[in-house]
Amino acid sequence: DLYFTQVDSFVFKQTPILAAKKIINWVSYVPIDFDPIPEYIIRKLSNAKKVIAMSKWAMQKLQNGGLENVNDYVYHGVDPSVYKPLKLSKEEIRKAYPNNIVESNEFLITLIQKNAQNKDLVGQLRGIRMFIDSNPDVKIKVYIHSFPQGEFDLMNLIKYFKLEENCVLPNLYKYFHGLYSDSELSLIYNLADVNLNASAEGFGIPTIEAMACGTPTIALNFGTSKELLNDLTPELSVNIKEFKLTSKFVEKPLPDPYDVTKKLEVVLYKPSNFYFNKISEDTRNKFAWDNVTNKLKKSLNEIDLTGLKK
């Protein structure tokens, strides 16, 4: 009855054609991580029965681009029974869960990001390098949940910024085969002092997963990421350094490494449980899967499924 897609609009070739011919009822739940939106993207999406944006910002951008079949947005969600604080404080968590990522006296930064073109690992690692240099008395650990081979040669990128002594990678066999569970990711977020996710994001699921666990996320002051942080932690939005034109002919924002450093210091200079106590409950209530799926169900129920060709 309904063909529902949750993927970047660039991949669509036959889908808009089939929808235009009324062979399928297509609903596109689409991430937008660029501005402005090119006309060819609007043209593709205009064939959908309905477009559901992932944030208010994205909905407005699509409408401003001339798209008439978008009038709704639904955030992604998290499972609040999994993504939650595991103890009453960061200190208690690290005592209760022995691990090979961080020691009790270290400041842990996590990057839960794919090694891909749309993740500015260069700018983020440059910011971390400057943060380490500016705080020589602080023991800093960086956990990068990513695979060494991808857009970047990650191991050589780590060496380039002289971060070999600071960085920890996941179990590569488990990562490659998709064997990390939600519970394991929740523990990683719980162990962290801060999660860094300062790239252009169509939504940015690690942003809310970390916050649901009581760990603040530093994100880009752009689009959906800015919207997610606005209510609770606007002081952790990283300024844009510049926009880069990609091979898809869209303008993607890149983070300012100096501002990454500043935002890391904002978290460092706060008491260890300052954000832990501030963000978890609000995030889990706002993005709980039950709330999200109810909104999605309401949006889908409004669609007229008649008129397909037999």
Side-chain angles (χ1 to χ4, degrees):
D1 297 303
L2 196 65
Y3 181 56
F4 183 93
T5 61
Q6 181 179 334
V7 67
D8 283 320
S9 50
F10 306 113
V11 306
F12 298 127
K13 292 183 174 66
Q14 291 301 313
T15 296
I17 296 172
L18 295 172
K21 292 180 178 179
K22 299 188 183 303
I23 295 172
I24 59 172
N25 284 316
W26 174 35
V27 176
S28 179
Y29 184 40
V30 63
I32 300 294
D33 57 358
F34 42 83
D35 185 30
I37 300 176
E39 192 274 335
Y40 79 90
I41 297 292
I42 297 295
R43 189 167 60 248
K44 284 185 179 185
L45 294 174
S46 66
N47 292 302
K49 200 81 171 181
K50 184 170 188 173
V51 173
I52 303 173
M54 294 185 178
S55 67
K56 184 177 182 180
W57 171 87
M59 180 186 72
Q60 292 172 340
K61 287 295 177 182
L62 290 165
Q63 290 172 338
N64 292 343
L67 200 63
E68 298 180 355
N69 54 355
V70 55
N71 59 5
D72 205 358
Y73 68 94
V74 179
Y75 290 137
H76 268 289
V78 295
D79 183 346
S81 70
V82 176
Y83 291 99
K84 62 182 180 180
L86 298 178
K87 294 291 179 181
L88 296 178
S89 69
K90 290 289 182 181
E91 183 181 8
E92 288 185 31
I93 291 169
R94 291 187 182 181
K95 284 182 178 179
Y97 296 93
N99 63 90
N100 60 358
I101 295 176
V102 64
E103 300 291 337
S104 60
N105 62 341
E106 292 176 326
F107 184 86
L108 176 60
I109 305 165
T110 54
L111 290 87
I112 314 296
Q113 302 177 24
K114 186 178 180 182
N115 186 351
Q117 184 179 20
N118 61 328
K119 308 297 182 185
D120 186 22
L121 288 172
V122 174
Q124 293 176 95
L125 292 182
R126 191 185 300 277
I128 289 173
R129 178 69 263 171
M130 292 188 293
F131 173 66
I132 292 171
D133 292 341
S134 299
N135 298 276
D137 296 330
V138 180
K139 294 182 178 180
I140 297 168
K141 192 63 68 68
V142 183
Y143 175 81
I144 307 176
H145 194 73
S146 198
F147 199 69
Q149 298 305 314
E151 175 67 18
F152 301 99
D153 181 338
L154 186 55
M155 302 308 294
N156 279 325
L157 189 63
I158 289 170
K159 290 179 181 178
Y160 179 82
F161 288 114
K162 297 180 173 59
L163 293 170
E164 303 99 307
E165 298 300 318
N166 304 92
C167 286
V168 178
L169 295 181
N171 179 303
L172 298 183
Y173 179 87
K174 287 181 64 175
Y175 184 93
F176 185 80
H177 291 282
L179 298 178
Y180 273 93
S181 67
D182 283 316
S183 295
E184 287 174 299
L185 281 174
S186 175
L187 174 58
I188 291 167
Y189 290 126
N190 267 269
L191 292 169
D193 292 283
V194 62
N195 180 52
L196 181 58
N197 197 27
S199 294
E201 295 286 350
F203 182 80
I205 295 176
T207 295
I208 61 170
E209 287 177 341
M211 292 172 67
C213 294
T215 298
T217 290
I218 294 172
L220 198 60
N221 190 26
F222 173 83
T224 299
S225 292
K226 178 180 179 181
E227 189 172 320
L228 294 178
L229 265 58
N230 262 355
D231 289 343
L232 292 175
T233 57
E235 71 277 14
L236 299 183
S237 290
V238 170
N239 292 333
I240 296 169
K241 179 184 179 182
E242 60 183 342
F243 282 80
K244 176 184 178 182
L245 183 66
T246 75
S247 60
K248 303 294 185 183
F249 292 95
V250 296
E251 297 276 0
K252 290 281 191 79
L254 302 179
D256 180 351
Y258 290 95
D259 207 40
V260 169
T261 298
K262 290 180 182 178
K263 297 311 188 293
L264 287 169
E265 289 182 342
V266 169
V267 179
L268 175 66
Y269 297 149
K270 296 286 188 185
S272 62
N273 287 326
F274 177 84
Y275 287 107
F276 185 79
N277 297 326
K278 179 181 180 182
I279 62 178
S280 175
E281 184 176 358
D282 286 346
T283 301
R284 286 183 294 124
N285 287 338
K286 185 174 183 178
F287 299 102
W289 266 124
D290 285 349
N291 296 336
V292 171
T293 50
N294 284 336
K295 292 177 182 177
L296 192 59
K297 180 181 177 181
K298 180 177 181 297
S299 186
L300 294 177
N301 280 337
E302 295 170 353
I303 298 171
D304 178 10
L305 297 179
T306 62
L308 286 186
K309 292 183 178 179
K310 300 295 183 183

